[in-house]
PDB file of all heavy atoms in Angstrom:
ATOM      1  N   GLU A 155      -2.029 276.307  62.368  1.00 97.00           N
ATOM      2  CA  GLU A 155      -2.479 274.933  62.689  1.00 97.00           C
ATOM      3  C   GLU A 155      -3.998 274.860  62.573  1.00 97.00           C
ATOM      4  O   GLU A 155      -4.695 275.843  62.800  1.00 97.00           O
ATOM      5  CB  GLU A 155      -1.996 274.525  64.084  1.00 97.00           C
ATOM      6  CG  GLU A 155      -2.338 275.496  65.204  1.00 97.00           C
ATOM      7  CD  GLU A 155      -3.691 275.304  65.821  1.00 97.00           C
ATOM      8  OE1 GLU A 155      -4.272 274.230  65.646  1.00 97.00           O
ATOM      9  OE2 GLU A 155      -4.181 276.252  66.463  1.00 97.00           O
ATOM     10  N   PHE A 156      -4.476 273.670  62.218  1.00 97.00           N
ATOM     11  CA  PHE A 156      -5.926 273.443  62.124  1.00 97.00           C
ATOM     12  C   PHE A 156      -6.302 272.226  62.969  1.00 97.00           C
ATOM     13  O   PHE A 156      -7.042 271.352  62.538  1.00 97.00           O
ATOM     14  CB  PHE A 156      -6.335 273.249  60.656  1.00 97.00           C
ATOM     15  CG  PHE A 156      -5.962 274.414  59.780  1.00 97.00           C
ATOM     16  CD1 PHE A 156      -4.875 274.345  58.926  1.00 97.00           C
ATOM     17  CD2 PHE A 156      -6.680 275.600  59.830  1.00 97.00           C
ATOM     18  CE1 PHE A 156      -4.507 275.423  58.135  1.00 97.00           C
ATOM     19  CE2 PHE A 156      -6.329 276.694  59.043  1.00 97.00           C
ATOM     20  CZ  PHE A 156      -5.235 276.605  58.195  1.00 97.00           C
ATOM     21  N   LEU A 157      -5.735 272.151  64.151  1.00 96.00           N
ATOM     22  CA  LEU A 157      -5.919 270.974  65.009  1.00 96.00           C
ATOM     23  C   LEU A 157      -7.116 271.145  65.929  1.00 96.00           C
ATOM     24  O   LEU A 157      -7.248 272.192  66.573  1.00 96.00           O
ATOM     25  CB  LEU A 157      -4.669 270.750  65.864  1.00 96.00           C
ATOM     26  CG  LEU A 157      -3.321 270.770  65.144  1.00 96.00           C
ATOM     27  CD1 LEU A 157      -2.180 270.771  66.162  1.00 96.00           C
ATOM     28  CD2 LEU A 157      -3.201 269.565  64.215  1.00 96.00           C
ATOM     29  N   GLU A 159      -8.852 270.144  69.365  1.00 93.00           N
ATOM     30  CA  GLU A 159      -8.494 269.524  70.634  1.00 93.00           C
ATOM     31  C   GLU A 159      -9.228 268.186  70.737  1.00 93.00           C
ATOM     32  O   GLU A 159     -10.380 268.081  70.328  1.00 93.00           O
ATOM     33  CB  GLU A 159      -8.873 270.426  71.810  1.00 93.00           C
ATOM     34  CG  GLU A 159      -7.932 271.595  71.927  1.00 93.00           C
ATOM     35  CD  GLU A 159      -8.108 272.376  73.220  1.00 93.00           C
ATOM     36  OE1 GLU A 159      -8.466 271.785  74.252  1.00 93.00           O
ATOM     37  OE2 GLU A 159      -7.883 273.593  73.175  1.00 93.00           O
ATOM     38  N   LYS A 210      -6.327 281.257  58.571  1.00 98.00           N
ATOM     39  CA  LYS A 210      -6.525 280.723  59.921  1.00 98.00           C
ATOM     40  C   LYS A 210      -7.716 281.402  60.613  1.00 98.00           C
ATOM     41  O   LYS A 210      -8.636 280.751  61.101  1.00 98.00           O
ATOM     42  CB  LYS A 210      -5.240 280.927  60.747  1.00 98.00           C
ATOM     43  CG  LYS A 210      -5.379 280.640  62.222  1.00 98.00           C
ATOM     44  CD  LYS A 210      -5.660 279.178  62.496  1.00 98.00           C
ATOM     45  CE  LYS A 210      -6.059 278.970  63.941  1.00 98.00           C
ATOM     46  NZ  LYS A 210      -6.297 277.587  64.277  1.00 98.00           N
ATOM     47  N   ASN A 214     -11.662 279.535  61.346  1.00 98.00           N
ATOM     48  CA  ASN A 214     -12.326 279.443  62.652  1.00 98.00           C
ATOM     49  C   ASN A 214     -13.586 280.300  62.691  1.00 98.00           C
ATOM     50  O   ASN A 214     -14.620 279.885  63.225  1.00 98.00           O
ATOM     51  CB  ASN A 214     -11.365 279.849  63.774  1.00 98.00           C
ATOM     52  CG  ASN A 214     -10.503 278.674  64.211  1.00 98.00           C
ATOM     53  OD1 ASN A 214     -10.616 277.585  63.666  1.00 98.00           O
ATOM     54  ND2 ASN A 214      -9.639 278.893  65.182  1.00 98.00           N
ATOM     55  N   PHE A 255     -20.612 271.188  62.004  1.00 98.00           N
ATOM     56  CA  PHE A 255     -20.716 272.464  62.716  1.00 98.00           C
ATOM     57  C   PHE A 255     -22.082 273.107  62.542  1.00 98.00           C
ATOM     58  O   PHE A 255     -22.225 274.322  62.527  1.00 98.00           O
ATOM     59  CB  PHE A 255     -19.573 273.421  62.333  1.00 98.00           C
ATOM     60  CG  PHE A 255     -18.291 272.979  62.968  1.00 98.00           C
ATOM     61  CD1 PHE A 255     -17.575 271.910  62.445  1.00 98.00           C
ATOM     62  CD2 PHE A 255     -17.842 273.562  64.143  1.00 98.00           C
ATOM     63  CE1 PHE A 255     -16.430 271.434  63.068  1.00 98.00           C
ATOM     64  CE2 PHE A 255     -16.698 273.102  64.775  1.00 98.00           C
ATOM     65  CZ  PHE A 255     -15.993 272.032  64.229  1.00 98.00           C
ATOM     66  N   ASN A 257     -24.650 271.777  64.556  1.00 98.00           N
ATOM     67  CA  ASN A 257     -25.425 271.281  65.694  1.00 98.00           C
ATOM     68  C   ASN A 257     -25.796 272.438  66.602  1.00 98.00           C
ATOM     69  O   ASN A 257     -24.917 273.107  67.152  1.00 98.00           O
ATOM     70  CB  ASN A 257     -24.622 270.259  66.505  1.00 98.00           C
ATOM     71  CG  ASN A 257     -24.361 269.006  65.703  1.00 98.00           C
ATOM     72  OD1 ASN A 257     -25.190 268.611  64.880  1.00 98.00           O
ATOM     73  ND2 ASN A 257     -23.213 268.396  65.909  1.00 98.00           N
ATOM     74  N   TYR A 262     -20.485 277.831  71.065  1.00 98.00           N
ATOM     75  CA  TYR A 262     -19.094 277.373  71.104  1.00 98.00           C
ATOM     76  C   TYR A 262     -18.338 277.957  72.296  1.00 98.00           C
ATOM     77  O   TYR A 262     -18.635 279.043  72.778  1.00 98.00           O
ATOM     78  CB  TYR A 262     -18.376 277.722  69.795  1.00 98.00           C
ATOM     79  CG  TYR A 262     -18.361 279.196  69.448  1.00 98.00           C
ATOM     80  CD1 TYR A 262     -17.459 280.072  70.035  1.00 98.00           C
ATOM     81  CD2 TYR A 262     -19.263 279.721  68.521  1.00 98.00           C
ATOM     82  CE1 TYR A 262     -17.439 281.419  69.716  1.00 98.00           C
ATOM     83  CE2 TYR A 262     -19.250 281.073  68.197  1.00 98.00           C
ATOM     84  CZ  TYR A 262     -18.337 281.920  68.800  1.00 98.00           C
ATOM     85  OH  TYR A 262     -18.329 283.248  68.491  1.00 98.00           O
ATOM     86  N   GLY A 263     -17.339 277.177  72.755  1.00 97.00           N
ATOM     87  CA  GLY A 263     -16.436 277.652  73.805  1.00 97.00           C
ATOM     88  C   GLY A 263     -15.026 277.278  73.401  1.00 97.00           C
ATOM     89  O   GLY A 263     -14.742 277.070  72.221  1.00 97.00           O
ATOM     90  N   CYS A 266     -10.157 278.659  71.205  1.00 94.00           N
ATOM     91  CA  CYS A 266      -9.923 279.117  69.825  1.00 94.00           C
ATOM     92  C   CYS A 266     -11.047 279.964  69.259  1.00 94.00           C
ATOM     93  O   CYS A 266     -10.829 281.132  68.950  1.00 94.00           O
ATOM     94  CB  CYS A 266      -9.678 277.911  68.937  1.00 94.00           C
ATOM     95  SG  CYS A 266      -8.370 276.858  69.552  1.00 94.00           S
ATOM     96  N   PHE A 267     -12.249 279.409  69.108  1.00 97.00           N
ATOM     97  CA  PHE A 267     -13.327 280.168  68.455  1.00 97.00           C
ATOM     98  C   PHE A 267     -13.623 281.504  69.157  1.00 97.00           C
ATOM     99  O   PHE A 267     -13.688 282.542  68.495  1.00 97.00           O
ATOM    100  CB  PHE A 267     -14.614 279.333  68.361  1.00 97.00           C
ATOM    101  CG  PHE A 267     -14.573 278.246  67.324  1.00 97.00           C
ATOM    102  CD1 PHE A 267     -15.663 277.409  67.133  1.00 97.00           C
ATOM    103  CD2 PHE A 267     -13.454 278.053  66.518  1.00 97.00           C
ATOM    104  CE1 PHE A 267     -15.640 276.400  66.174  1.00 97.00           C
ATOM    105  CE2 PHE A 267     -13.413 277.052  65.562  1.00 97.00           C
ATOM    106  CZ  PHE A 267     -14.506 276.219  65.397  1.00 97.00           C
ATOM    107  N   PHE A 327     -15.188 272.104  77.593  1.00 97.00           N
ATOM    108  CA  PHE A 327     -15.823 272.944  76.569  1.00 97.00           C
ATOM    109  C   PHE A 327     -16.310 272.119  75.385  1.00 97.00           C
ATOM    110  O   PHE A 327     -17.159 272.546  74.608  1.00 97.00           O
ATOM    111  CB  PHE A 327     -14.881 274.074  76.127  1.00 97.00           C
ATOM    112  CG  PHE A 327     -13.948 273.733  74.989  1.00 97.00           C
ATOM    113  CD1 PHE A 327     -14.320 273.966  73.672  1.00 97.00           C
ATOM    114  CD2 PHE A 327     -12.695 273.186  75.236  1.00 97.00           C
ATOM    115  CE1 PHE A 327     -13.469 273.651  72.628  1.00 97.00           C
ATOM    116  CE2 PHE A 327     -11.839 272.878  74.198  1.00 97.00           C
ATOM    117  CZ  PHE A 327     -12.225 273.109  72.892  1.00 97.00           C
ATOM    118  N   LYS A 328     -15.753 270.901  75.273  1.00 96.00           N
ATOM    119  CA  LYS A 328     -16.248 269.934  74.296  1.00 96.00           C
ATOM    120  C   LYS A 328     -15.766 268.556  74.748  1.00 96.00           C
ATOM    121  O   LYS A 328     -14.906 268.465  75.639  1.00 96.00           O
ATOM    122  CB  LYS A 328     -15.742 270.271  72.897  1.00 96.00           C
ATOM    123  CG  LYS A 328     -14.255 270.069  72.703  1.00 96.00           C
ATOM    124  CD  LYS A 328     -13.923 270.280  71.247  1.00 96.00           C
ATOM    125  CE  LYS A 328     -12.693 269.523  70.872  1.00 96.00           C
ATOM    126  NZ  LYS A 328     -12.340 269.650  69.488  1.00 96.00           N
ATOM    127  N   GLU A 396     -21.298 267.579  74.811  1.00 96.00           N
ATOM    128  CA  GLU A 396     -21.854 266.508  73.981  1.00 96.00           C
ATOM    129  C   GLU A 396     -21.016 265.225  74.000  1.00 96.00           C
ATOM    130  O   GLU A 396     -20.641 264.690  72.950  1.00 96.00           O
ATOM    131  CB  GLU A 396     -22.074 267.022  72.552  1.00 96.00           C
ATOM    132  CG  GLU A 396     -20.833 267.519  71.786  1.00 96.00           C
ATOM    133  CD  GLU A 396     -20.449 268.961  72.045  1.00 96.00           C
ATOM    134  OE1 GLU A 396     -20.645 269.454  73.179  1.00 96.00           O
ATOM    135  OE2 GLU A 396     -19.916 269.610  71.124  1.00 96.00           O
TER     136      GLU A 396
HETATM  137  C1  UGA B   1     -11.157 274.660  66.579  1.00 66.88           C
HETATM  138  C2  UGA B   1     -11.142 274.287  65.091  1.00 66.88           C
HETATM  139  O1  UGA B   1     -12.144 273.300  64.834  1.00 66.88           O
HETATM  140  C3  UGA B   1      -9.764 273.769  64.673  1.00 66.88           C
HETATM  141  O2  UGA B   1      -9.753 273.521  63.263  1.00 66.88           O
HETATM  142  C4  UGA B   1      -8.712 274.829  65.011  1.00 66.88           C
HETATM  143  O3  UGA B   1      -7.419 274.417  64.668  1.00 66.88           O
HETATM  144  C5  UGA B   1      -8.767 275.105  66.505  1.00 66.88           C
HETATM  145  O4  UGA B   1     -10.085 275.583  66.845  1.00 66.88           O
HETATM  146  C6  UGA B   1      -7.710 276.143  66.833  1.00 66.88           C
HETATM  147  O5  UGA B   1      -7.815 277.275  66.355  1.00 66.88           O
HETATM  148  O6  UGA B   1      -6.704 275.790  67.453  1.00 66.88           O
HETATM  149  P1  UGA B   1     -11.448 273.300  68.883  1.00 66.88           P
HETATM  150  O7  UGA B   1     -11.464 274.623  69.573  1.00 66.88           O
HETATM  151  O8  UGA B   1     -10.580 272.220  69.416  1.00 66.88           O
HETATM  152  O9  UGA B   1     -10.982 273.469  67.340  1.00 66.88           O
HETATM  153  O10 UGA B   1     -12.931 272.760  68.926  1.00 66.88           O
HETATM  154  P2  UGA B   1     -14.117 272.424  67.906  1.00 66.88           P
HETATM  155  O11 UGA B   1     -14.241 270.975  67.757  1.00 66.88           O
HETATM  156  O12 UGA B   1     -13.991 273.219  66.675  1.00 66.88           O
HETATM  157  O13 UGA B   1     -15.371 272.945  68.761  1.00 66.88           O
HETATM  158  C7  UGA B   1     -15.463 274.300  69.212  1.00 66.88           C
HETATM  159  C8  UGA B   1     -16.748 274.540  69.971  1.00 66.88           C
HETATM  160  O14 UGA B   1     -17.862 274.545  69.095  1.00 66.88           O
HETATM  161  C9  UGA B   1     -17.064 273.521  71.065  1.00 66.88           C
HETATM  162  O15 UGA B   1     -17.481 274.218  72.221  1.00 66.88           O
HETATM  163  C10 UGA B   1     -18.218 272.712  70.491  1.00 66.88           C
HETATM  164  O16 UGA B   1     -19.058 272.205  71.487  1.00 66.88           O
HETATM  165  C11 UGA B   1     -18.914 273.766  69.642  1.00 66.88           C
HETATM  166  N1  UGA B   1     -19.717 273.224  68.529  1.00 66.88           N
HETATM  167  C12 UGA B   1     -19.112 272.515  67.533  1.00 66.88           C
HETATM  168  C13 UGA B   1     -21.087 273.468  68.464  1.00 66.88           C
HETATM  169  O17 UGA B   1     -21.666 274.129  69.353  1.00 66.88           O
HETATM  170  N2  UGA B   1     -21.812 272.973  67.403  1.00 66.88           N
HETATM  171  C14 UGA B   1     -21.229 272.264  66.420  1.00 66.88           C
HETATM  172  O18 UGA B   1     -21.946 271.861  65.477  1.00 66.88           O
HETATM  173  C15 UGA B   1     -19.848 272.029  66.468  1.00 66.88           C
END
Side-chain angles (χ1 to χ4, degrees):
E155 53 86 18
F156 302 103
L157 311 170
E159 286 191 32
K210 170 66 191 182
N214 275 1
F255 286 77
N257 294 327
Y262 58 80
C266 306
F267 286 180
F327 88 91
K328 69 173 206 178
E396 60 275 33

